[in-house]
Amino acid sequence: MTDSASARYKYLQKIGEGVHGMVLKAHDLTTGKEVAIKKVSLRTKHGEISLSTVREIKALQHCDCKYIMSLLDVFPDMTGLSLVFDYMPHTLYSILKNDSIPLSRSIIRSYTSMLLHGVKYMHSIGIMHRDIKPANLLIDDNDVLKIADFGLARIYSQNEDKSYSPQVASRWYRAPELLYGSSKYGPAVDMWAIGCVFAEMLRRVPLFNGNTDIEQLALVIKILGSPNQKDWPEMDSLPDFKKIHFSHSKGESWQNIFPTCTTANEIALVDGLVQYNPRKRLTAAEALNLDYFIQYDSDVLKSISKF
């Protein structure tokens, strides 16, 4: 740690620890604000440069969106680098796990709108996150949601035929093309994950919660039905598609999956995102143009105009 960094930040407590580093809560003595400091290693346990650290910093330096965590400061310490962010007291994961915290339909819509706006911006500048999940969605005391943890993010180009690792995204939010071992994919993997997160907010339990990749695929097939070539022509070319065989499934209706109070507009959003064929999944911009959001925005404007 440098002397200037040591003098500026007063560490308060450890607030998290994951694969890519430890997170500490601190007080910024210069601004008076509480911040979160993520300590990341510059090298892997094998002594190689940590690509996740490089990718996270590179991705965050490209982002300027109020629904994406801003990188406030970077400084070296004895183990690697410290990345400084605004302190966000909650994660969507912690809220979903706490039954005493209600999730109203308006809050779910607000969180989903912010998530989609953040991802829309991210995809517009050529970044796919590849690890959208409740634990990586931070929320402040004013219910503002921001996307965090860009350790698996990649800068991509629609015009380049690049290969990527299929071993990304947490299993419960991993798109089927990844589960089938595809190395040729794009930002649609984030859209599948958003669909799973939205469904989880509506149900308070994960949509697909497999303990292994095989079980995860089995749960997807149970709900969506067996994939077919008409709807997903590329499925036969996926590396592991012919290696894994499941009993034929007709699938289940979304009405049976969700609580009786779930609306048709909410189900339409899930259905538009949780699609086998990545080409058929809604983009973030398309999702934000659904009646689910348009009608809500119209109602808000009408209520404001009365005052």
Side-chain angles (χ1 to χ4, degrees):
M1 181 185 297
T2 63
D3 291 340
S4 59
S6 177
R8 176 168 181 173
Y9 300 107
K10 179 183 179 182
Y11 292 98
L12 302 175
Q13 65 186 90
K14 178 179 169 182
I15 55 176
E17 188 165 11
V19 176
H20 304 299
M22 177 174 62
V23 184
L24 301 168
K25 182 180 179 181
H27 187 72
D28 185 339
L29 300 176
T30 300
T31 65
K33 294 172 55 179
E34 289 183 340
V35 295
I37 299 180
K38 181 177 180 180
K39 292 184 171 293
V40 293
S41 176
L42 272 176
R43 296 190 177 274
T44 68
K45 61 182 179 181
H46 304 295
E48 302 165 342
I49 294 295
S50 173
L51 290 178
S52 64
T53 298
V54 173
R55 287 170 181 164
E56 180 162 20
I57 294 172
K58 189 175 181 181
L60 288 168
Q61 286 175 335
H62 279 75
C63 291
D64 182 18
C65 174
K66 61 183 176 180
Y67 303 123
I68 295 174
M69 290 297 292
S70 296
L71 183 59
L72 304 177
D73 193 10
V74 181
F75 59 86
D77 58 31
M78 294 179 65
T79 59
L81 290 176
S82 288
L83 314 183
V84 184
F85 304 90
D86 284 325
Y87 172 67
M88 304 281 277
H90 314 287
T91 67
L92 181 57
Y93 176 83
S94 66
I95 290 173
L96 286 168
K97 290 298 179 185
N98 190 341
D99 291 334
S100 66
I101 301 177
L103 266 180
S104 69
R105 284 302 200 267
S106 62
I107 282 292
I108 291 174
R109 180 159 31 198
S110 178
Y111 287 167
T112 308
S113 175
M114 288 184 272
L115 172 56
L116 284 167
H117 275 100
V119 169
K120 176 185 174 183
Y121 171 83
M122 193 190 314
H123 290 173
S124 75
I125 61 171
I127 294 175
M128 52 182 169
H129 188 278
R130 304 198 302 174
D131 199 16
I132 298 288
K133 61 181 179 180
N136 288 341
L137 304 176
L138 308 189
I139 298 168
D140 69 15
D141 287 327
N142 295 315
D143 280 325
V144 175
L145 178 147
K146 296 188 179 187
I147 304 167
D149 203 334
F150 281 69
L152 291 177
R154 286 296 297 269
I155 296 174
Y156 72 94
S157 172
Q158 298 281 17
N159 300 320
E160 293 180 9
D161 187 28
K162 283 188 177 181
S163 295
Y164 306 100
S165 170
Q167 295 301 314
V168 293
S170 297
R171 182 179 295 115
W172 294 354
Y173 312 93
R174 193 176 296 161
E177 61 267 34
L178 298 176
L179 292 167
Y180 278 119
S182 177
S183 61
K184 301 286 186 179
Y185 58 84
V189 299
D190 289 339
M191 303 314 298
W192 172 277
I194 292 172
C196 293
V197 170
F198 178 60
E200 188 170 346
M201 284 193 281
L202 293 173
R203 303 171 77 235
R204 295 297 290 238
V205 292
L207 184 58
F208 311 113
N209 56 348
N211 292 314
T212 65
D213 287 359
I214 300 295
E215 185 181 356
Q216 186 71 13
L217 269 171
L219 291 171
V220 171
I221 290 170
K222 178 184 176 183
I223 291 179
L224 295 190
S226 299
N228 62 76
Q229 200 152 25
K230 180 181 178 182
D231 292 332
W232 192 13
E234 296 83 5
M235 69 181 193
D236 283 343
S237 63
L238 297 172
D240 298 333
F241 186 79
K242 295 180 180 178
K243 299 177 184 178
I244 309 169
H245 301 282
F246 299 94
S247 299
H248 181 76
S249 169
K250 292 182 179 180
E252 301 182 31
S253 70
W254 289 121
Q255 286 76 10
N256 291 336
I257 300 298
F258 290 99
T260 54
C261 58
T262 307
T263 67
N265 283 342
E266 289 168 330
I267 289 177
L269 178 56
V270 176
D271 187 58
L273 295 170
V274 184
Q275 292 272 338
Y276 276 122
N277 188 340
R279 297 177 188 274
K280 292 186 176 182
R281 283 175 215 149
L282 295 170
T283 66
E286 289 168 343
L288 287 165
N289 280 323
L290 292 180
D291 286 345
Y292 177 60
F293 297 108
I294 299 298
Q295 184 60 48
Y296 173 71
D297 292 341
S298 176
D299 291 343
V300 170
L301 288 173
K302 285 180 183 175
S303 65
I304 292 173
S305 67
K306 292 178 182 178
F307 298 94

